[in-house]
């Protein structure tokens, strides 16, 4: 049957409309990049820093989008996933983001127990996993990862900071020779806690510091009184604790109830960075506890950072307080913000402009081009990733932790020894000055591969 002129015109109009619709849709897709955000928004890790990290990441996205997006052209559309403080849920959510949502970049991950299996899964599928928070060295060590990157510090550095601080300051702060100090290492038994404790032990032995106890426990344990008893029997002067939020609270409560005495306690980030929550429970009992972590961005002197970094920090702090009503901004917000900012501003524009796309292979190449000097990020340290073929391929070789003292007196329910407040002490590595900080700071200069080699030599 011959086609009439009217039918031909209608068909042509319909085809043109469809073509126009497809072109509009293609333009919209080209101007938007979907990125997965995976954090623990519920469960025990949520209040331990994961929610703060997720808020920091979202603030970074908001700031970039308000300026037109990546390179002023591509808006970021975050797709949030709640890993619910459970490794199996984290794996399932990552699979959903990759397979169903067709997302090539996953940003986030708070818990190291999630990061280890997620890194293997995402690497296998040749997608990008950009870790903002989880610290376990085991995520990268000897894995030769190509598509997983972390601008965050790693757990071996906690051990370096812990042992280095005691070796340098034990005589002045504790009135003891470092070799006389008895140390108890306690930790949750996941990759995070095990990694921190192993590094603590290796570097303590290297410094000649006595390790009288190393004990792990389940982060979900309902009772830690036996652990407290073991510390009392070991007569430890110093405790190093790598835990999360509920288990830290449980340990401190039972330590107070049993009258545990010690000269100093070091926390390894995680729950010990949530000072507002610890102080709400224990008040001045946490004064003079030390915490090892990246420094909260707002405590760095902006005059010692690259131009504009101070303004960026102020924007993050202002927005975090507005979103949460908090008076203090925890380090985890800085972590989520800082690592996401590096991805959006230092990696993705290069992937597009130099390597032609936002595909994983282009992003991988762009990440290896990143070269940010000290003072170039809101956390003070620079960013340069170890290349493929090295023991920590994908890990930032310029990350640096600090040791922070919480307050003026060290006591736990009035039963621990007191320490006088001695002022700000030494500054962080890389020549950065710190301001407005209660307590003292220190940071070891051994980092990255040098630290890995030292641990291997020490452990045989």
């Amino acid at each position: 049957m011959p086609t009439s002129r009217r039918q031909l015109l209608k068909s042509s109009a319909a085809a043109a409309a469809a073509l126009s619709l497809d072109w509009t849709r293609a333009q919209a897709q080209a101007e938007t990049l979907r990125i997965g955000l995976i954090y623990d928004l519920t469960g025990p890790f949520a209040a331990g820093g994961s929610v703060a990290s997720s808020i920091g990441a979202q603030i970074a996205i908001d700031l970039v989008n308000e300026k037109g997006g990546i390179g002023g052209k591509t808006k970021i559309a975050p797709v949030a996933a709640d890993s619910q403080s459970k490794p199996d849920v984290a794996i399932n959510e990552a699979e959903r983001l990759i397979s169903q949502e067709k997302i090539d970049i996953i940003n986030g991950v708070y818990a190291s127990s999630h990061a280890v299996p997620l890194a293997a899964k995402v690497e296998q599928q040749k997608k990008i996993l950009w870790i903002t928070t989880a610290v376990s060295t085991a995520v990268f060590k000897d894995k030769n990862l190509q598509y997983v990157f972390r601008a965050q510090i790693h757990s071996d550095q906690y051990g370096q900071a812990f042992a280095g601080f005691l070796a340098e300051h034990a005589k002045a702060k504790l009135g003891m020779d470092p070799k006389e100090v008895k140390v108890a290492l306690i930790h949750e038994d996941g990759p995070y806690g095990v990694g921190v404790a192993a590094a603590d032990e290796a570097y303590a032995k290297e410094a000649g510091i006595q390790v009288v106890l190393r004990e792990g426990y389940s982060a979900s344990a309902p009772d830690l009184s036996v652990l407290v008893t073991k510390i009392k029997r070991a007569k430890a002067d110093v405790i190093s604790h790598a835990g999360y939020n509920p288990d830290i609270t449980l340990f401190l409560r039972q330590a107070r109830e049993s009258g545990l005495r010690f000269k100093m306690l070091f926390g390894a980030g995680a729950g010990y960075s949530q000072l507002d929550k610890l102080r709400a429970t224990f008040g001045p009992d946490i004064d003079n506890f030390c915490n090892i972590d990246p420094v909260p961005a707002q405590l760095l002197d902006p005059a010692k950072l690259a131009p504009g970094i101070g303004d960026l920090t102020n924007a993050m702090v202002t927005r975090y307080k507005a979103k949460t009503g908090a008076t203090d901004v925890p380090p985890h917000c800085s972590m989520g913000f800082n690592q996401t900012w590096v991805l959006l501003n230092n990696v993705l524009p290069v992937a597009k402009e130099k390597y032609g796309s936002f595909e994983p292979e282009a992003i991988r190449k762009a990440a290896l081009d990143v070269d940010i000097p000290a003072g170039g990020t809101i956390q003070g340290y620079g960013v340069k990733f170890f290349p493929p073929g090295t023991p920590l391929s994908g890990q930032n070789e310029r990350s640096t932790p600090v040791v922070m003292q919480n307050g003026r007196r060290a006591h736990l329910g009035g039963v621990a020894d007191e320490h006088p407040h001695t002022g700000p002490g030494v500054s962080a590595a890389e020549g950065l000055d710190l301001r407005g900080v209660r307590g003292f700071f220190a940071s070891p200069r051994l980092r990255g591969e040098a630290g890995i080699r030292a641990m291997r030599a020490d452990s045989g």
Side-chain angles (χ1 to χ4, degrees):
M1 182 178 179
T3 302
S4 69
R5 183 172 181 275
R6 184 185 296 273
Q7 288 174 320
L8 182 60
L9 289 174
K10 287 176 66 178
S11 297
S12 299
L19 182 61
S20 175
L21 182 61
D22 287 344
W23 174 247
T24 302
R25 186 179 295 132
Q27 278 191 311
Q29 290 174 345
E31 294 170 358
T32 301
L33 178 65
R34 300 170 76 237
I35 294 178
L37 297 185
I38 186 163
Y39 287 99
D40 303 293
L41 306 179
T42 57
F45 295 158
S50 187
V51 168
S53 290
S54 72
I55 294 173
Q58 185 60 57
I59 292 172
I61 291 170
D62 291 343
L63 288 175
V64 170
N65 279 342
E66 288 166 15
K67 293 185 177 181
I70 301 165
K73 300 176 182 178
T74 306
K75 294 289 186 74
I76 304 103
V79 180
D82 179 8
S83 42
Q84 301 177 26
S85 304
K86 300 173 183 177
D88 58 333
V89 175
I91 293 170
N92 289 339
E93 285 297 278
E95 182 61 41
R96 178 181 67 82
L97 290 173
I98 293 171
S99 300
Q100 298 180 26
E101 298 289 347
K102 306 301 180 184
I103 283 174
D104 288 335
I105 309 168
I106 296 178
N107 180 82
V109 193
Y110 169 78
S112 294
S113 58
H114 301 180
V116 172
L118 283 178
K121 171 173 277 296
V122 177
E123 176 77 9
Q124 185 180 36
Q125 299 194 43
K126 295 186 177 182
K127 303 299 183 182
I128 297 295
L129 179 61
W130 196 267
I131 298 175
T132 62
T133 317
V135 300
S136 175
T137 304
V139 174
F140 292 93
K141 188 176 179 180
D142 298 326
K143 303 290 179 59
N144 197 33
L145 298 177
Q146 310 288 306
Y147 296 88
V148 182
F149 295 91
R150 178 171 61 191
Q152 167 74 309
I153 61 175
H154 60 93
S155 59
D156 283 0
Q157 294 179 302
Y158 285 85
Q160 290 174 299
F162 168 69
F165 183 88
L166 280 181
E168 185 175 351
H169 297 290
K171 192 172 286 292
K173 307 301 183 185
L174 304 179
M176 303 175 70
D177 185 275
K179 295 183 179 180
E180 296 174 349
V181 178
K182 296 178 180 178
V183 171
L185 310 176
I186 60 175
H187 60 92
E188 62 87 28
D189 60 6
Y192 153 65
V194 170
V196 171
D200 280 351
E201 184 173 32
Y203 288 108
K205 288 181 177 179
E206 186 179 280
I209 298 168
Q210 301 178 59
V211 177
V212 295
L213 177 69
R214 177 179 167 183
E215 189 80 11
Y217 62 86
S218 170
S220 59
D223 182 11
L224 294 176
S225 59
V226 173
L227 176 63
V228 174
T229 299
K230 288 182 178 181
I231 297 173
K232 292 178 72 174
R233 288 176 179 170
K235 297 181 179 179
D237 301 304
V238 174
I239 298 170
S240 175
H241 188 189
Y244 287 111
N245 210 27
D247 54 306
I248 289 173
T249 300
L250 177 62
F251 168 73
L252 294 179
R253 177 173 58 78
Q254 293 187 324
R256 179 170 59 185
E257 291 170 353
S258 72
L260 177 65
R261 298 175 66 86
F262 52 87
K263 296 184 185 300
M264 187 170 285
L265 183 146
F266 288 78
Y272 280 104
S273 285
Q274 304 302 303
L275 293 180
D276 56 339
K277 294 177 173 58
L278 284 179
R279 198 171 295 281
T281 303
F282 297 101
D285 287 1
I286 68 165
D287 284 352
N288 250 34
F289 284 8
C290 289
N291 178 43
I292 303 173
D293 229 5
V295 65
Q298 65 271 20
L299 299 184
L300 289 172
D301 182 358
K304 300 296 182 180
L305 303 176
I309 297 296
D311 293 337
L312 195 60
T313 298
N314 290 336
M316 180 201 71
V317 169
T318 299
R319 294 193 183 213
Y320 182 85
K321 290 181 177 181
K323 282 176 177 284
T324 64
T327 55
D328 295 315
V329 180
H332 287 100
C333 178
S334 299
M335 297 174 201
F337 181 95
N338 190 58
Q339 277 64 271
T340 304
W341 187 262
V342 170
L343 172 66
L344 301 183
N345 290 274
N346 299 94
V347 177
L348 294 181
V350 175
K352 184 67 171 179
E353 294 165 13
K354 182 176 180 179
Y355 297 107
S357 74
F358 294 124
E359 297 295 322
E361 186 61 25
I363 296 170
R364 183 189 73 80
K365 292 177 180 177
L368 293 173
D369 287 347
V370 171
D371 191 355
I372 304 174
T377 69
I378 68 164
Q379 291 190 287
Y381 53 72
V383 181
K384 181 68 177 176
F385 295 108
F386 283 113
T390 55
L392 289 178
S393 174
Q395 167 65 39
N396 181 15
E397 63 180 82
R398 293 177 180 166
S399 57
T400 307
V402 296
V403 179
M404 299 169 275
Q405 183 179 340
N406 295 339
R408 296 195 173 194
R409 293 184 300 136
H411 67 102
L412 192 59
V415 298
D417 297 331
E418 286 194 18
H419 304 278
H421 177 60
T422 55
V426 298
S427 65
E430 314 294 353
L432 295 175
D433 292 330
L434 302 171
R435 62 183 175 84
V437 182
R438 293 178 299 168
F440 40 79
F441 286 71
S443 182
R445 294 191 179 276
L446 281 176
R447 294 193 300 277
E449 288 184 290
I452 291 293
R453 285 198 295 269
M455 283 195 65
R456 285 174 175 166
D458 187 77
S459 62

